[in-house]
Amino acid sequence: MSGIGHIFEIGRSGIRAHQQGLATTSHNLSNIETKGFSRQEVILETASPANGQEASGVRVGEIRRNVDVFLEKQISKLKEDVGRLDARNHYLVQADGVFTETENSGIAHGVTEFFNAVRDVATNPEGTVQRTVLLGKGNSLADEINRIAGGLEQIRRDADGEIQRHLTTINSLATDVATLNDSIFHAEASGGAAHDLRDQRQLRVNEMSELIDVSSVDMRDGLAIMVGGQMLVGGNTANSLVQSPDPDNPPLNDVAFVRSDGTEFVVTPRINDGRVNGLLTLRDADITGFQDRLDRNVAVLVNEYNQQHEAGYDLDGDTGNTFFSPLSPEAPLANAENTGGAEGTSVSISTASSLTMSNYQIAFTNATTFNVLDTTNGTTVLSAQAYTSGNNIVFDGLTVVITDSTGVPAAGDVFTASAHKGAAEDFSVALTNTDDIAASSTAAGIPGNNLNALALVDIHTTRQATLGDVTLNDYHTITAGNVGSVAHEVNLSLLAKTAETEQVETFREGVSGVSLDEELTNLLSYQRAFEASARLITVADDLLQTVLSLGR
Protein backbone atom coordinates (compact mmCIF):
# COMPACT_ATOMS: atom_id res chain seq x y z
CA MET A 1 0.00 0.00 0.00
CA SER A 2 1.37 3.39 -1.03
CA GLY A 3 2.17 5.89 1.70
CA ILE A 4 2.78 9.60 1.86
CA GLY A 5 6.50 8.96 1.47
CA HIS A 6 5.80 7.25 -1.82
CA ILE A 7 4.02 10.38 -3.02
CA PHE A 8 7.14 12.36 -2.13
CA GLU A 9 9.25 10.02 -4.31
CA ILE A 10 6.87 10.34 -7.26
CA GLY A 11 7.00 14.13 -7.03
CA ARG A 12 10.78 14.05 -6.72
CA SER A 13 11.03 11.83 -9.84
CA GLY A 14 8.90 14.30 -11.79
CA ILE A 15 11.12 17.21 -10.74
CA ARG A 16 14.27 15.34 -11.81
CA ALA A 17 12.83 14.24 -15.17
CA HIS A 18 11.33 17.58 -16.13
CA GLN A 19 14.41 19.44 -14.94
CA GLN A 20 16.37 17.37 -17.45
CA GLY A 21 13.78 18.25 -20.07
CA LEU A 22 14.24 21.94 -19.30
CA ALA A 23 18.04 21.59 -19.48
CA THR A 24 17.94 19.74 -22.79
CA THR A 25 15.47 22.22 -24.31
CA SER A 26 17.67 25.10 -23.14
CA HIS A 27 20.68 23.35 -24.71
CA ASN A 28 18.81 23.05 -28.02
CA LEU A 29 17.82 26.71 -27.98
CA SER A 30 21.33 27.90 -27.19
CA ASN A 31 22.69 25.90 -30.16
CA ILE A 32 20.04 26.90 -32.66
CA GLU A 33 22.69 28.60 -34.85
CA THR A 34 25.50 26.11 -34.15
CA LYS A 35 26.71 24.52 -37.40
CA GLY A 36 26.28 20.74 -37.43
CA PHE A 37 24.29 20.61 -34.17
CA SER A 38 21.67 17.85 -33.93
CA ARG A 39 18.57 18.47 -31.83
CA GLN A 40 18.42 16.42 -28.63
CA GLU A 41 15.24 15.04 -27.16
CA VAL A 42 14.45 13.74 -23.68
CA ILE A 43 12.61 10.42 -23.80
CA LEU A 44 10.56 9.92 -20.64
CA GLU A 45 9.29 6.55 -19.47
CA THR A 46 7.40 5.19 -16.50
CA ALA A 47 9.62 4.34 -13.58
CA SER A 48 9.66 0.67 -12.57
CA PRO A 49 6.62 0.04 -10.33
CA ALA A 50 7.40 -0.54 -6.68
CA ASN A 51 6.70 -4.16 -5.72
CA GLY A 52 5.73 -4.70 -9.36
CA GLN A 53 2.39 -2.95 -8.87
CA GLU A 54 2.60 0.47 -7.29
CA ALA A 55 3.16 3.52 -9.51
CA SER A 56 6.62 4.96 -9.03
CA GLY A 57 6.58 8.12 -11.14
CA VAL A 58 8.70 8.94 -14.17
CA ARG A 59 12.33 8.69 -15.22
CA VAL A 60 14.53 9.73 -18.16
CA GLY A 61 14.86 6.74 -20.44
CA GLU A 62 17.44 8.40 -22.72
CA ILE A 63 18.49 11.67 -24.25
CA ARG A 64 18.14 10.97 -27.94
CA ARG A 65 20.23 12.65 -30.65
CA ASN A 66 17.92 13.18 -33.60
CA VAL A 67 19.98 12.21 -36.61
CA ASP A 68 19.34 10.29 -39.82
CA VAL A 69 22.49 8.33 -40.64
CA PHE A 70 21.44 7.92 -44.27
CA LEU A 71 21.04 11.69 -44.71
CA GLU A 72 24.41 12.33 -43.06
CA LYS A 73 26.15 9.95 -45.46
CA GLN A 74 24.28 11.47 -48.40
CA ILE A 75 25.40 14.95 -47.39
CA SER A 76 29.02 13.77 -47.11
CA LYS A 77 28.86 12.30 -50.62
CA LEU A 78 27.23 15.40 -52.07
CA LYS A 79 29.88 17.60 -50.47
CA GLU A 80 32.53 15.49 -52.19
CA ASP A 81 30.83 16.13 -55.54
CA VAL A 82 30.37 19.84 -54.90
CA GLY A 83 34.00 20.19 -53.82
CA ARG A 84 35.24 18.42 -56.95
CA LEU A 85 33.12 20.48 -59.32
CA ASP A 86 33.77 23.78 -57.56
CA ALA A 87 37.55 23.29 -57.70
CA ARG A 88 37.44 22.52 -61.43
CA ASN A 89 35.01 25.33 -62.13
CA HIS A 90 37.19 27.94 -60.38
CA TYR A 91 40.20 27.28 -62.59
CA LEU A 92 38.31 26.47 -65.79
CA VAL A 93 36.84 29.98 -65.63
CA GLN A 94 40.42 31.27 -65.48
CA ALA A 95 41.45 29.07 -68.43
CA ASP A 96 38.49 30.33 -70.43
CA GLY A 97 39.65 33.87 -69.70
CA VAL A 98 43.17 33.04 -70.88
CA PHE A 99 41.79 31.93 -74.25
CA THR A 100 39.41 34.87 -74.63
CA GLU A 101 39.48 36.23 -78.19
CA THR A 102 38.52 39.79 -79.15
CA GLU A 103 38.69 41.74 -82.37
CA ASN A 104 42.06 43.16 -81.38
CA SER A 105 43.65 40.42 -79.28
CA GLY A 106 44.08 36.68 -79.06
CA ILE A 107 45.90 34.05 -81.06
CA ALA A 108 43.48 34.02 -83.98
CA HIS A 109 43.82 37.79 -84.29
CA GLY A 110 47.62 37.54 -83.98
CA VAL A 111 47.90 34.83 -86.64
CA THR A 112 45.69 36.79 -89.04
CA GLU A 113 47.70 39.98 -88.47
CA PHE A 114 50.94 38.08 -89.01
CA PHE A 115 49.85 36.58 -92.33
CA ASN A 116 48.44 39.95 -93.43
CA ALA A 117 51.97 41.28 -92.91
CA VAL A 118 53.34 38.38 -94.98
CA ARG A 119 50.86 39.34 -97.71
CA ASP A 120 52.13 42.92 -97.58
CA VAL A 121 55.69 41.64 -98.08
CA ALA A 122 54.47 39.64 -101.08
CA THR A 123 53.00 42.86 -102.47
CA ASN A 124 56.31 44.71 -102.07
CA PRO A 125 59.07 42.07 -101.61
CA GLU A 126 61.93 44.52 -101.29
CA GLY A 127 60.11 47.01 -99.01
CA THR A 128 61.90 47.65 -95.72
CA VAL A 129 58.75 48.92 -94.04
CA GLN A 130 56.77 45.81 -94.94
CA ARG A 131 59.59 43.55 -93.74
CA THR A 132 59.93 45.46 -90.48
CA VAL A 133 56.19 45.22 -89.85
CA LEU A 134 56.34 41.46 -90.52
CA LEU A 135 59.02 40.93 -87.87
CA GLY A 136 57.02 43.09 -85.46
CA LYS A 137 53.83 41.10 -86.07
CA GLY A 138 55.79 37.86 -85.62
CA ASN A 139 57.11 39.02 -82.26
CA SER A 140 53.65 40.23 -81.20
CA LEU A 141 52.23 36.80 -82.07
CA ALA A 142 55.01 35.15 -80.07
CA ASP A 143 54.21 37.36 -77.07
CA GLU A 144 50.52 36.43 -77.23
CA ILE A 145 51.22 32.70 -77.57
CA ASN A 146 53.78 32.82 -74.75
CA ARG A 147 51.25 34.67 -72.58
CA ILE A 148 48.61 32.01 -73.07
CA ALA A 149 51.09 29.17 -72.57
CA GLY A 150 52.35 30.83 -69.40
CA GLY A 151 48.82 31.41 -68.16
CA LEU A 152 47.89 27.74 -68.57
CA GLU A 153 51.07 26.56 -66.86
CA GLN A 154 50.46 28.98 -64.00
CA ILE A 155 46.98 27.55 -63.51
CA ARG A 156 48.52 24.09 -63.15
CA ARG A 157 51.02 25.35 -60.59
CA ASP A 158 48.31 27.22 -58.68
CA ALA A 159 46.18 24.07 -58.55
CA ASP A 160 49.18 22.10 -57.29
CA GLY A 161 49.74 24.67 -54.54
CA GLU A 162 46.06 24.53 -53.56
CA ILE A 163 46.30 20.75 -53.24
CA GLN A 164 49.08 21.22 -50.69
CA ARG A 165 46.92 23.62 -48.66
CA HIS A 166 44.01 21.18 -48.72
CA LEU A 167 46.23 18.30 -47.56
CA THR A 168 47.30 20.42 -44.59
CA THR A 169 43.62 21.02 -43.73
CA ILE A 170 42.77 17.32 -44.18
CA ASN A 171 45.57 16.31 -41.82
CA SER A 172 44.32 18.81 -39.22
CA LEU A 173 40.76 17.49 -39.53
CA ALA A 174 42.01 13.91 -39.25
CA THR A 175 43.78 14.80 -36.00
CA ASP A 176 40.57 16.40 -34.69
CA VAL A 177 38.54 13.28 -35.56
CA ALA A 178 41.07 11.05 -33.78
CA THR A 179 40.92 13.28 -30.68
CA LEU A 180 37.10 13.24 -30.76
CA ASN A 181 37.13 9.45 -31.18
CA ASP A 182 39.09 9.18 -27.95
CA SER A 183 36.83 11.63 -26.09
CA ILE A 184 33.66 9.86 -27.27
CA PHE A 185 35.05 6.45 -26.33
CA HIS A 186 35.85 7.50 -22.77
CA ALA A 187 32.59 9.42 -22.32
CA GLU A 188 30.40 6.55 -23.48
CA ALA A 189 32.48 3.86 -21.75
CA SER A 190 31.44 5.36 -18.42
CA GLY A 191 27.77 5.26 -19.39
CA GLY A 192 27.44 8.87 -20.46
CA ALA A 193 26.18 10.33 -23.75
CA ALA A 194 28.51 12.14 -26.15
CA HIS A 195 25.97 13.67 -28.50
CA ASP A 196 27.72 17.02 -28.87
CA LEU A 197 31.07 15.32 -29.49
CA ARG A 198 29.48 13.14 -32.16
CA ASP A 199 28.05 16.26 -33.84
CA GLN A 200 31.48 17.86 -33.84
CA ARG A 201 33.01 14.71 -35.32
CA GLN A 202 30.41 14.49 -38.09
CA LEU A 203 30.95 18.16 -38.90
CA ARG A 204 34.67 17.51 -39.39
CA VAL A 205 33.96 14.45 -41.52
CA ASN A 206 31.71 16.58 -43.74
CA GLU A 207 34.41 19.24 -44.02
CA MET A 208 36.93 16.55 -44.93
CA SER A 209 34.51 15.09 -47.50
CA GLU A 210 34.39 18.39 -49.34
CA LEU A 211 38.16 18.17 -49.76
CA ILE A 212 38.66 14.47 -50.52
CA ASP A 213 36.53 11.35 -50.87
CA VAL A 214 36.38 9.42 -47.63
CA SER A 215 34.74 6.21 -46.48
CA SER A 216 33.93 5.82 -42.81
CA VAL A 217 33.09 2.83 -40.63
CA ASP A 218 32.00 2.82 -36.98
CA MET A 219 34.41 0.73 -34.95
CA ARG A 220 34.54 -0.11 -31.26
CA ASP A 221 37.15 2.57 -30.62
CA GLY A 222 35.58 5.24 -32.84
CA LEU A 223 35.05 6.23 -36.44
CA ALA A 224 37.61 4.79 -38.89
CA ILE A 225 38.22 6.93 -41.98
CA MET A 226 39.71 5.57 -45.19
CA VAL A 227 41.24 7.68 -47.95
CA GLY A 228 42.57 6.14 -51.14
CA GLY A 229 42.25 2.67 -49.64
CA GLN A 230 44.43 3.66 -46.66
CA MET A 231 43.34 4.23 -43.05
CA LEU A 232 43.74 7.93 -42.38
CA VAL A 233 42.07 7.73 -38.95
CA GLY A 234 41.79 4.68 -36.73
CA GLY A 235 40.67 5.12 -33.13
CA ASN A 236 42.73 7.87 -31.53
CA THR A 237 45.47 7.67 -34.19
CA ALA A 238 45.65 9.88 -37.27
CA ASN A 239 48.01 9.37 -40.20
CA SER A 240 48.74 12.05 -42.81
CA LEU A 241 48.74 12.90 -46.50
CA VAL A 242 51.62 14.77 -48.16
CA GLN A 243 52.75 15.85 -51.60
CA SER A 244 55.47 13.82 -53.27
CA PRO A 245 57.31 14.74 -56.53
CA ASP A 246 55.51 13.27 -59.56
CA PRO A 247 58.05 11.89 -62.07
CA ASP A 248 55.35 11.90 -64.77
CA ASN A 249 54.54 15.54 -64.12
CA PRO A 250 57.62 17.58 -63.21
CA PRO A 251 57.73 19.90 -61.34
CA LEU A 252 54.29 19.03 -59.94
CA ASN A 253 53.41 16.54 -57.22
CA ASP A 254 51.51 13.37 -56.41
CA VAL A 255 49.43 12.86 -53.27
CA ALA A 256 51.01 10.28 -50.98
CA PHE A 257 49.90 8.54 -47.78
CA VAL A 258 52.52 8.46 -45.02
CA ARG A 259 52.68 5.04 -43.39
CA SER A 260 53.42 4.56 -39.70
CA ASP A 261 57.04 3.69 -40.55
CA GLY A 262 57.46 6.99 -42.40
CA THR A 263 57.40 5.55 -45.92
CA GLU A 264 55.13 7.09 -48.52
CA PHE A 265 52.54 5.40 -50.74
CA VAL A 266 51.16 7.31 -53.74
CA VAL A 267 47.35 7.42 -53.69
CA THR A 268 46.76 9.95 -56.50
CA PRO A 269 45.01 7.41 -58.80
CA ARG A 270 42.76 6.33 -55.91
CA ILE A 271 41.41 9.79 -55.09
CA ASN A 272 38.07 9.89 -56.88
CA ASP A 273 36.19 12.88 -55.49
CA GLY A 274 36.39 16.07 -53.44
CA ARG A 275 38.37 19.24 -54.13
CA VAL A 276 41.65 17.38 -54.35
CA ASN A 277 40.29 15.14 -57.11
CA GLY A 278 38.86 18.17 -58.91
CA LEU A 279 42.23 19.91 -58.77
CA LEU A 280 44.08 16.79 -59.96
CA THR A 281 41.63 16.39 -62.85
CA LEU A 282 41.97 20.07 -63.71
CA ARG A 283 45.77 19.99 -63.47
CA ASP A 284 46.48 16.67 -65.18
CA ALA A 285 43.61 16.32 -67.67
CA ASP A 286 41.75 19.55 -68.42
CA ILE A 287 44.70 21.96 -68.66
CA THR A 288 47.12 19.45 -70.19
CA GLY A 289 44.53 18.76 -72.87
CA PHE A 290 44.30 22.48 -73.66
CA GLN A 291 48.10 22.76 -73.61
CA ASP A 292 48.45 19.83 -75.99
CA ARG A 293 46.15 21.44 -78.55
CA LEU A 294 47.86 24.82 -78.19
CA ASP A 295 51.31 23.25 -78.57
CA ARG A 296 50.20 21.24 -81.60
CA ASN A 297 48.77 24.31 -83.31
CA VAL A 298 51.95 26.31 -82.70
CA ALA A 299 54.21 23.43 -83.73
CA VAL A 300 52.38 23.06 -87.05
CA LEU A 301 52.73 26.80 -87.68
CA VAL A 302 56.47 26.66 -86.91
CA ASN A 303 57.08 23.51 -88.92
CA GLU A 304 55.11 24.49 -92.01
CA TYR A 305 56.29 28.10 -92.08
CA ASN A 306 59.95 27.27 -91.48
CA GLN A 307 60.03 24.60 -94.18
CA GLN A 308 58.61 26.99 -96.74
CA HIS A 309 60.76 29.91 -95.58
CA GLU A 310 63.93 27.83 -95.74
CA ALA A 311 63.10 27.01 -99.38
CA GLY A 312 63.14 30.71 -100.35
CA TYR A 313 65.86 33.31 -100.84
CA ASP A 314 66.47 36.49 -98.88
CA LEU A 315 67.66 39.85 -100.22
CA ASP A 316 71.29 38.71 -99.97
CA GLY A 317 70.62 35.63 -102.08
CA ASP A 318 70.91 33.26 -99.13
CA THR A 319 68.57 30.32 -98.61
CA GLY A 320 67.80 27.99 -95.72
CA ASN A 321 66.91 30.80 -93.30
CA THR A 322 64.76 29.76 -90.33
CA PHE A 323 62.07 32.33 -89.50
CA PHE A 324 60.78 30.90 -86.21
CA SER A 325 62.99 29.22 -83.63
CA PRO A 326 63.05 25.51 -84.56
CA LEU A 327 61.03 23.00 -82.59
CA SER A 328 62.95 21.62 -79.63
CA PRO A 329 61.20 18.44 -78.43
CA GLU A 330 61.52 17.42 -74.80
CA ALA A 331 63.37 14.24 -73.84
CA PRO A 332 61.28 11.05 -73.54
CA LEU A 333 59.44 11.01 -70.21
CA ALA A 334 59.56 7.78 -68.21
CA ASN A 335 56.30 6.56 -66.73
CA ALA A 336 56.24 6.75 -62.92
CA GLU A 337 55.41 3.04 -62.76
CA ASN A 338 58.49 1.97 -64.76
CA THR A 339 60.54 -0.62 -62.90
CA GLY A 340 63.58 -0.82 -65.20
CA GLY A 341 66.72 1.30 -65.14
CA ALA A 342 66.57 2.98 -68.57
CA GLU A 343 65.98 6.71 -69.02
CA GLY A 344 64.88 8.96 -71.87
CA THR A 345 67.85 10.82 -73.33
CA SER A 346 66.66 12.93 -76.25
CA VAL A 347 64.08 13.56 -78.96
CA SER A 348 65.13 15.36 -82.14
CA ILE A 349 63.53 16.10 -85.49
CA SER A 350 65.07 14.09 -88.29
CA THR A 351 62.57 14.82 -91.09
CA ALA A 352 60.37 17.89 -90.61
CA SER A 353 58.07 16.99 -93.51
CA SER A 354 57.23 13.62 -91.90
CA LEU A 355 56.08 14.99 -88.54
CA THR A 356 52.53 14.04 -87.56
CA MET A 357 52.34 16.04 -84.31
CA SER A 358 50.98 12.98 -82.52
CA ASN A 359 51.79 11.79 -79.02
CA TYR A 360 53.73 8.54 -78.82
CA GLN A 361 54.52 5.78 -76.36
CA ILE A 362 57.63 3.64 -76.58
CA ALA A 363 56.45 0.53 -74.74
CA PHE A 364 58.88 -2.25 -73.82
CA THR A 365 57.72 -5.85 -73.95
CA ASN A 366 61.04 -7.00 -72.47
CA ALA A 367 64.57 -5.67 -71.98
CA THR A 368 65.42 -5.90 -75.67
CA THR A 369 62.12 -5.36 -77.53
CA PHE A 370 59.73 -2.42 -77.82
CA ASN A 371 56.72 -1.14 -79.73
CA VAL A 372 55.96 2.46 -80.71
CA LEU A 373 52.30 3.46 -80.35
CA ASP A 374 50.61 6.59 -81.71
CA THR A 375 48.29 7.39 -78.78
CA THR A 376 46.65 10.28 -80.65
CA ASN A 377 45.35 8.06 -83.44
CA GLY A 378 45.44 4.71 -81.63
CA THR A 379 47.75 3.05 -84.14
CA THR A 380 50.96 1.02 -83.90
CA VAL A 381 53.87 2.78 -85.62
CA LEU A 382 56.61 0.22 -84.97
CA SER A 383 56.22 -3.33 -83.70
CA ALA A 384 58.62 -5.75 -82.04
CA GLN A 385 61.68 -3.57 -82.60
CA ALA A 386 65.07 -4.54 -81.20
CA TYR A 387 66.38 -2.20 -78.50
CA THR A 388 70.01 -1.24 -78.01
CA SER A 389 70.94 1.34 -75.41
CA GLY A 390 71.74 4.70 -76.99
CA ASN A 391 70.68 3.72 -80.51
CA ASN A 392 68.38 5.94 -82.56
CA ILE A 393 64.70 5.00 -82.65
CA VAL A 394 63.43 6.67 -85.83
CA PHE A 395 59.74 7.06 -86.74
CA ASP A 396 57.40 9.72 -88.18
CA GLY A 397 60.17 12.29 -88.56
CA LEU A 398 61.45 11.88 -84.98
CA THR A 399 64.64 10.38 -83.62
CA VAL A 400 64.29 9.15 -80.05
CA VAL A 401 67.16 7.97 -77.86
CA ILE A 402 66.70 5.89 -74.71
CA THR A 403 69.73 4.87 -72.69
CA ASP A 404 70.39 2.31 -69.97
CA SER A 405 71.14 4.26 -66.79
CA THR A 406 70.90 2.25 -63.60
CA GLY A 407 69.86 -0.82 -65.54
CA VAL A 408 68.03 -2.08 -68.62
CA PRO A 409 64.35 -1.53 -69.45
CA ALA A 410 61.84 -3.86 -67.86
CA ALA A 411 58.76 -5.41 -69.44
CA GLY A 412 55.91 -2.91 -69.15
CA ASP A 413 58.16 0.18 -69.04
CA VAL A 414 56.73 3.08 -71.05
CA PHE A 415 58.28 6.33 -72.31
CA THR A 416 56.26 9.16 -73.86
CA ALA A 417 57.49 11.45 -76.63
CA SER A 418 56.21 14.04 -79.09
CA ALA A 419 57.50 16.74 -81.41
CA HIS A 420 55.18 19.47 -80.15
CA LYS A 421 55.11 19.42 -76.34
CA GLY A 422 56.25 22.81 -75.03
CA ALA A 423 56.13 24.44 -78.48
CA ALA A 424 53.89 27.31 -77.35
CA GLU A 425 56.07 28.17 -74.36
CA ASP A 426 59.23 28.13 -76.56
CA PHE A 427 57.68 29.95 -79.53
CA SER A 428 59.76 32.90 -80.77
CA VAL A 429 60.99 34.62 -83.94
CA ALA A 430 64.55 33.59 -84.85
CA LEU A 431 65.19 36.34 -87.44
CA THR A 432 66.32 39.80 -86.40
CA ASN A 433 67.44 41.20 -89.76
CA THR A 434 64.67 42.21 -92.18
CA ASP A 435 66.94 41.37 -95.15
CA ASP A 436 66.86 37.70 -94.07
CA ILE A 437 63.15 37.35 -94.86
CA ALA A 438 62.96 34.95 -97.82
CA ALA A 439 60.30 36.32 -100.19
CA SER A 440 61.82 35.08 -103.45
CA SER A 441 61.56 31.57 -104.82
CA THR A 442 64.88 31.88 -106.72
CA ALA A 443 68.17 33.66 -106.23
CA ALA A 444 67.89 35.18 -109.68
CA GLY A 445 64.50 36.70 -108.86
CA ILE A 446 65.78 38.97 -106.09
CA PRO A 447 64.51 41.52 -105.14
CA GLY A 448 61.20 41.55 -107.01
CA ASN A 449 60.25 37.86 -106.95
CA ASN A 450 57.44 37.20 -104.44
CA LEU A 451 56.53 33.58 -105.14
CA ASN A 452 57.91 32.25 -101.87
CA ALA A 453 56.09 34.99 -99.93
CA LEU A 454 52.86 33.97 -101.67
CA ALA A 455 53.52 30.35 -100.72
CA LEU A 456 53.97 31.50 -97.12
CA VAL A 457 50.66 33.39 -97.30
CA ASP A 458 48.90 30.20 -98.42
CA ILE A 459 49.86 28.43 -95.16
CA HIS A 460 47.28 30.58 -93.38
CA THR A 461 44.35 29.14 -95.30
CA THR A 462 45.70 25.64 -95.99
CA ARG A 463 43.91 22.78 -94.29
CA GLN A 464 46.62 21.02 -92.30
CA ALA A 465 46.50 17.23 -92.16
CA THR A 466 48.39 17.31 -88.85
CA LEU A 467 45.54 19.38 -87.36
CA GLY A 468 42.75 17.11 -88.53
CA ASP A 469 42.37 18.78 -91.94
CA VAL A 470 41.50 22.28 -90.63
CA THR A 471 43.31 25.60 -90.88
CA LEU A 472 45.49 27.11 -88.17
CA ASN A 473 42.82 29.63 -87.16
CA ASP A 474 40.01 27.09 -87.26
CA TYR A 475 41.95 24.70 -85.03
CA HIS A 476 42.52 27.43 -82.48
CA THR A 477 38.84 28.45 -82.63
CA ILE A 478 37.88 24.83 -81.89
CA THR A 479 40.35 24.74 -79.00
CA ALA A 480 38.99 27.95 -77.48
CA GLY A 481 35.45 26.62 -77.96
CA ASN A 482 36.39 23.39 -76.18
CA VAL A 483 37.69 25.34 -73.19
CA GLY A 484 34.49 27.37 -72.96
CA SER A 485 32.32 24.29 -73.43
CA VAL A 486 34.06 22.32 -70.67
CA ALA A 487 33.87 25.32 -68.33
CA HIS A 488 30.14 25.75 -69.07
CA GLU A 489 29.34 22.06 -68.55
CA VAL A 490 31.19 21.92 -65.24
CA ASN A 491 29.44 25.10 -64.06
CA LEU A 492 26.02 23.63 -64.90
CA SER A 493 26.90 20.42 -63.04
CA LEU A 494 28.07 22.47 -60.06
CA LEU A 495 24.82 24.45 -59.94
CA ALA A 496 22.75 21.26 -60.11
CA LYS A 497 24.79 19.47 -57.45
CA THR A 498 24.74 22.53 -55.17
CA ALA A 499 20.95 22.70 -55.44
CA GLU A 500 20.70 18.98 -54.62
CA THR A 501 22.97 19.44 -51.60
CA GLU A 502 20.87 22.34 -50.31
CA GLN A 503 17.74 20.21 -50.68
CA VAL A 504 19.22 17.32 -48.69
CA GLU A 505 20.51 19.73 -46.03
CA THR A 506 16.94 21.06 -45.76
CA PHE A 507 15.77 17.48 -45.17
CA ARG A 508 18.45 17.15 -42.48
CA GLU A 509 17.22 20.34 -40.82
CA GLY A 510 13.77 18.78 -40.68
CA VAL A 511 15.19 15.82 -38.78
CA SER A 512 18.09 17.29 -36.81
CA GLY A 513 17.56 21.04 -36.85
CA VAL A 514 16.23 23.05 -33.93
CA SER A 515 12.76 24.57 -34.34
CA LEU A 516 12.33 27.69 -32.21
CA ASP A 517 8.54 27.28 -31.97
CA GLU A 518 8.77 23.62 -31.03
CA GLU A 519 11.42 24.21 -28.38
CA LEU A 520 9.51 27.09 -26.82
CA THR A 521 6.45 24.84 -26.63
CA ASN A 522 8.54 22.12 -24.99
CA LEU A 523 10.02 24.67 -22.60
CA LEU A 524 6.56 25.73 -21.44
CA SER A 525 5.41 22.10 -21.15
CA TYR A 526 8.40 21.07 -19.02
CA GLN A 527 8.01 24.18 -16.88
CA ARG A 528 4.38 23.37 -16.14
CA ALA A 529 5.20 19.72 -15.43
CA PHE A 530 8.06 20.77 -13.13
CA GLU A 531 5.72 23.11 -11.26
CA ALA A 532 3.11 20.35 -10.97
CA SER A 533 5.68 17.95 -9.54
CA ALA A 534 6.78 20.58 -7.05
CA ARG A 535 3.13 21.16 -6.10
CA LEU A 536 2.74 17.40 -5.54
CA ILE A 537 5.54 17.50 -2.98
CA THR A 538 3.82 20.42 -1.28
CA VAL A 539 0.55 18.46 -1.12
CA ALA A 540 2.38 15.45 0.29
CA ASP A 541 3.98 17.66 2.91
CA ASP A 542 0.56 19.06 3.87
CA LEU A 543 -0.78 15.50 4.21
CA LEU A 544 2.16 14.53 6.38
CA GLN A 545 1.59 17.55 8.62
CA THR A 546 -2.10 16.58 8.96
CA VAL A 547 -1.21 13.04 9.99
CA LEU A 548 1.32 14.28 12.53
CA SER A 549 -1.25 16.67 14.03
CA LEU A 550 -3.61 13.75 14.70
CA GLY A 551 -1.15 12.27 17.14
CA ARG A 552 -0.93 15.33 19.35
Side-chain angles (χ1 to χ4, degrees), residues 10 18 44 64 121 192 258 280 284 311 340 392 417 443 482:
I10 292 175
H18 297 112
L44 302 178
R64 179 179 299 163
V121 171
V258 182
L280 289 169
D284 300 338
N392 291 340
N482 288 348

Side-chain angles (χ1 to χ4, degrees), residues 174 177-178 181 219 221-226 231-239:
V177 171
N181 275 345
M219 308 291 284
D221 56 352
L223 193 68
I225 295 180
M226 309 288 289
M231 185 173 288
L232 185 63
V233 179
N236 61 2
T237 301
N239 293 307

